[in-house]
Amino acid sequence: MTKIQKKILITGGAGFIGSHVVRLFVKKYPDYRIYNLDALTYAGNLENIKDVENEPNYKFVKGDIKDIEFINSLFEEIQFDAVIHLAAESHVDRSITNPNEFIETNVLGTANLLNAFRDSNKGNFEGKLFYHVSTDEVYGSLGKTGLFKETTPYDPQSPYASSKAASDHLVRAYGNTYGLPFVISNCSNNYGANQFPEKLIPLFINNVKLSKPLPVYGDGNYTRDWLYVVDHARAIDEIFHHGKKGETYNIGGFNEWTNLNLIKLLCKLMDERLNRPEGSSEKLITFVKDRAGHDRRYAIDAGKINSELGWKPSVTFEEGLALTLDWYLSNDEWLESVTSGSYQEYYKKMYS
Ligand code: NAD
Ligand code: DAU
């Protein structure tokens, strides 16, 4: 972007990826005023961004993107220059048990933000931007070969992926119909500090720590392309400032792993850290019923963001995974607080 952005709304900034994006923007751009809007659902946690809460260019706003009146009055009051939209229901398994929650938050919530951004700008979008953060799951599932490109047709397979695909379509439609300036990025699987332990990597770290079974869905030969969360935040920064309006950028780690191979590596690294005999964590692997409609393989062609914006991951998978394991092992309090209460109910329902 050419013009300096003054007031930036980041939605979902108390969640996993959002907290890393908020931290990067607050620290790197003291001239920007960063508003973090988050409803603090089970996945949102102000502890994730405690280190920036007293920064002068940061403000937390508790609120729900589903609440039309609240969203409209917030946009009228603050007149944001840009929105970086991450707030969403994000866990595929939860979308299988409760799809409506995903449609309401991810589709209607995004529509509310688009309407409010359009209306508060009153037709003058000079220097404005709506950045929509999306997922590679909108493209569906790959066979043994091939990569998701920006031109790959949408083919979402889960209620979560469909709700994200619908929100992507809405953003593009608002660009086409109302001239609303936007960018969209579709990223592969993230890992790193502060990820809620319902997702594969933090769930398995916690279970290894507690010597609990490691529930591998199906045959475990599903492939994901893993990216360190700080590198996703760096990519969002690049796209926000230098991406072309109206464009889509795929973001990925150039880093495909089958779940089983990844889990075995994680077990080995955990044994080393916990001073357990080699092979002891692997014994916790337990094959369980497969996820319904489980996508076989995701892999991103991140050539466009690499060649146009010069972005590439800054850490190797081995480095990122080591940082992640060390973070979880030295943040017992965080892990214990997010796995108490309603997490126990969720876990029982999912895995018993
Ligand atoms: P997360 O579940 O950790 O965090 C989501 C955040 O959104 C939470 O803080 C939650 O409180 C907030 N939120 C949820 N509903 C809200 C509502 N109605 N109003 C306001 N806030 C609400 O998710 P994440 O993994 O950090 O993902 C962030 C975004 O990135 C999502 O849009 C997701 O689709 C996308 N994404 C995630 C990944 C990944 O691997 N995690 C990969 C690609 C894209
Ligand atoms: O690709 C990007 C997407 O990555 C994001 O859009 C989603 O928000 C994010 O949750 C993630 O989706 P996945 O479904 O790929 O992530 P998850 O961590 O839930 O699962 C990763 C793989 O591990 C998947 O093949 C399912 C498998 N799995 C997962 C869990 C939780 C298991 O085998 N056992 C488990 O208990």
Side-chain angles (χ1 to χ4, degrees):
M1 296 190 70
T2 46
K3 207 165 174 191
I4 288 184
Q5 297 295 304
K6 296 279 189 223
K7 288 173 284 181
I8 301 172
L9 179 70
I10 299 182
T11 70
F16 167 48
I17 301 170
S19 62
H20 289 273
V21 175
V22 164
R23 178 174 300 105
L24 186 152
F25 273 72
V26 167
K27 294 201 164 164
K28 188 168 172 187
Y29 302 106
D31 290 346
Y32 297 172
R33 185 149 173 77
I34 304 298
Y35 295 82
N36 173 11
L37 169 66
D38 200 297
L40 299 180
T41 67
Y42 78 94
N45 186 346
L46 288 176
E47 286 297 313
N48 294 349
I49 30 153
K50 207 170 171 40
D51 55 319
V52 301
E53 70 182 6
N54 294 321
E55 296 295 337
N57 62 337
Y58 171 76
K59 185 169 163 55
F60 176 70
V61 182
K62 184 170 185 307
D64 192 326
I65 60 170
K66 299 195 292 291
D67 183 342
I68 300 180
E69 274 177 30
F70 163 75
I71 291 296
N72 285 344
S73 65
L74 180 72
F75 276 71
E76 268 314 309
E77 183 197 334
I78 307 202
Q79 300 283 314
F80 298 109
D81 294 294
V83 177
I84 305 178
H85 175 36
L86 295 106
E89 288 293 335
S90 70
H91 189 37
V92 174
D93 291 327
R94 289 185 192 252
S95 84
I96 294 167
T97 36
N98 191 1
N100 280 24
E101 186 85 44
F102 284 67
I103 295 159
E104 283 159 21
T105 296
N106 299 358
V107 186
L108 297 177
T110 301
N112 292 340
L113 293 171
L114 286 166
N115 287 330
F117 192 58
R118 178 199 59 193
D119 295 347
S120 66
N121 280 297
K122 300 182 177 64
N124 179 8
F125 292 119
E126 181 65 32
K128 304 291 173 99
L129 184 67
F130 190 99
Y131 185 147
H132 180 59
V133 176
S134 191
T135 170
D136 61 357
E137 298 201 13
V138 299
Y139 300 123
S141 184
L142 290 163
K144 283 195 169 65
T145 58
L147 298 170
F148 294 135
K149 296 179 187 305
E150 287 80 359
T151 50
T152 301
Y154 275 34
D155 186 22
Q157 298 295 317
S158 70
Y160 162 68
S162 306
S163 69
K164 291 297 291 187
S167 64
D168 293 10
H169 289 318
L170 275 176
V171 174
R172 290 195 185 96
Y174 274 61
N176 181 59
T177 309
Y178 306 110
L180 188 141
F182 72 89
V183 280
I184 299 178
S185 56
N186 296 81
C187 188
S188 63
N189 286 63
N190 284 216
Y191 69 96
N194 303 102
Q195 187 169 31
F196 193 78
E198 62 187 352
K199 308 278 168 72
L200 181 75
I201 290 182
L203 176 77
F204 278 35
I205 293 173
N206 191 37
N207 283 16
V208 168
K209 204 181 127 202
L210 302 173
S211 298
K212 282 170 67 172
L214 304 177
V216 177
Y217 296 161
D219 63 6
N221 286 315
Y222 291 86
T223 299
R224 297 291 183 265
D225 172 355
W226 293 94
L227 178 69
Y228 188 50
V229 64
V230 173
D231 281 327
H232 188 185
R234 286 178 50 247
I236 289 173
D237 179 19
E238 280 304 322
I239 294 168
F240 181 81
H241 288 96
H242 306 294
K244 284 197 201 115
K245 284 182 185 158
E247 293 277 321
T248 295
Y249 294 87
N250 281 355
I251 309 169
F254 304 95
N255 182 38
E256 287 184 51
W257 286 78
T258 64
N259 292 342
L260 258 186
N261 285 342
L262 166 57
I263 292 159
K264 285 179 183 163
L265 172 64
L266 189 142
C267 286
K268 177 175 163 287
L269 297 172
M270 286 294 281
D271 284 343
E272 285 165 15
R273 281 166 174 72
L274 297 171
N275 293 317
R276 292 182 183 168
E278 202 182 320
S280 49
S281 297
E282 252 193 65
K283 292 196 187 120
L284 297 168
I285 290 177
T286 310
F287 290 92
V288 300
K289 188 167 173 275
D290 209 348
R291 171 185 279 174
H294 199 168
D295 286 336
R296 195 65 170 166
R297 176 171 165 257
Y298 304 146
I300 283 273
D301 178 348
K304 178 175 172 180
I305 183 172
N306 178 250
S307 63
E308 285 188 16
L309 306 180
W311 174 91
K312 61 177 193 312
S314 69
V315 295
T316 64
F317 189 48
E318 288 68 22
E319 289 165 342
L321 202 53
L323 288 167
T324 305
L325 298 187
D326 292 340
W327 186 85
Y328 279 93
L329 291 174
S330 51
N331 283 277
D332 290 336
E333 225 172 90
W334 183 93
L335 200 49
E336 275 157 28
S337 78
V338 302
T339 53
S340 61
S342 61
Y343 181 85
Q344 296 299 330
E345 284 306 305
Y346 163 79
Y347 198 92
K348 230 188 281 166
K349 224 164 137 193
M350 245 338 270
Y351 295 107
S352 64

